[in-house]
Amino acid sequence: GAVVSQHPSWVICKSGTSVKIECRSLDFQATTMFWYRQFPKQSLMLMATSNEGSKATYEQGVEKDKFLINHASLTLSTLTVTSAHPEDSSFYICSATTSGGFDNEQFFGPGTRLTVL
Amino acid sequence: GIQVEQSPPDLILQEGANSTLRCNFSDSVNNLQWFHQNPWGQLINLFYIPSGTKQNGRLSATTVATERYSLLYISSSQTTDSGVYFCAVRGTGGFKTIFGAGTRLFVKA
């Protein structure tokens, strides 16, 4: 099946620093990737939709200057949390679809646990 | 926007028992998936099922799109089935996948 990887699996950083999370589709080309955020014991919240070669579409309430998304190739999207603060601590998960359409199955990465001290 | 409700919110089963999880959605969908989130946070695809019935081992799912619900059946539950089960849908004409709140399942040995 389609495999999505994320790196790093977990990261601890100091307040004010920036953290980059990578999301890769390993065995397929992902025209569209999605970034989610999950708080403990809650559901997934979509942060942004990322299309290869174009600007990401952010959900309402998500600061695009804080959460920078770059989808530079058909197999890689990155999320950079800039000037991280403790309230940015969360579980970040990416997903990808196997084609450019929105009606296709999504496959999820294993997630990145971010802790900001 | 489309609303997704899952029930029950929590479920405790004895190993070997069967269960049914339900997902109701408020509008027409062209995409529905069931996921299992394991204790490490990984979302595992169970079914891509915008309509119809599918089976995979001890798991099966049915989506009745006209009545706006989907069911996930777990038979002969095992302790490894523990975790959170999510239903996620995309409405027709929509571009965003909406997740339900999940059903938290614990299977006792």
Side-chain angles (χ1 to χ4, degrees):
Chain A
V3 180
V4 177
S5 70
Q6 270 184 253
H7 178 81
S9 301
W10 58 270
V11 57
I12 301 172
C13 68
K14 292 183 178 179
S15 187
T17 61
S18 294
V19 174
K20 180 184 283 189
I21 302 170
E22 291 186 349
C23 176
R24 293 181 185 274
S25 56
L26 297 185
D27 52 2
F28 65 100
Q29 292 186 330
T31 307
T32 305
M33 289 184 169
F34 305 88
W35 287 95
Y36 293 84
R37 185 174 182 176
Q38 186 180 31
F39 291 107
K41 298 193 185 300
Q42 293 189 22
S43 188
L44 280 74
M45 284 179 19
L46 180 66
M47 299 175 65
T49 301
S50 163
N51 290 294
E52 186 265 337
S54 63
K55 291 183 178 180
T57 301
Y58 290 83
E59 293 300 302
Q60 191 172 3
V62 177
E63 298 176 61
K64 61 181 181 181
D65 294 331
K66 167 167 270 301
F67 299 101
L68 299 179
I69 292 172
N70 183 21
H71 194 158
S73 76
L74 286 172
T75 59
L76 173 64
S77 178
T78 60
L79 168 68
T80 302
V81 183
T82 62
S83 187
H85 289 96
E87 59 265 29
D88 298 324
S89 299
S90 190
F91 190 54
Y92 292 89
I93 314 173
C94 72
S95 73
T97 56
T98 54
S99 78
F102 288 97
D103 296 344
N104 294 291
E105 190 171 0
Q106 283 191 51
F107 295 89
F108 283 79
T112 297
R113 206 165 296 278
L114 171 63
T115 301
V116 184
L117 303 177
Chain B
I2 194 167
Q3 306 294 316
V4 183
E5 292 184 357
Q6 290 187 242
S7 59
D10 298 280
L11 185 59
I12 300 175
L13 296 176
Q14 192 66 45
E15 195 170 30
N18 303 328
S19 64
T20 301
L21 281 57
R22 187 176 180 102
C23 172
N24 291 333
F25 40 95
S26 61
D27 207 342
S28 301
V29 300
N30 54 19
N31 184 319
L32 188 147
Q33 289 186 248
W34 283 98
F35 299 94
H36 174 213
Q37 188 170 38
N38 66 21
W40 295 271
Q42 171 76 63
L43 279 157
I44 299 164
N45 289 43
L46 298 179
F47 294 102
Y48 172 74
I49 187 167
S51 64
T53 297
K54 291 185 177 180
Q55 179 158 8
N56 184 3
R58 296 183 295 104
L59 302 181
S60 64
T62 295
T63 297
V64 183
T66 54
E67 297 188 21
R68 299 181 183 169
Y69 72 88
S70 184
L71 302 174
L72 176 69
Y73 305 95
I74 304 174
S75 65
S76 302
S77 59
Q78 300 176 357
T79 56
T80 52
D81 294 332
S82 297
V84 184
Y85 289 80
F86 287 107
C87 167
V89 307
R90 183 177 298 123
T92 54
F95 299 97
K96 185 165 67 172
T97 296
I98 305 297
F99 276 76
T103 291
R104 193 172 300 273
L105 173 65
F106 179 67
V107 181
K108 298 187 296 183

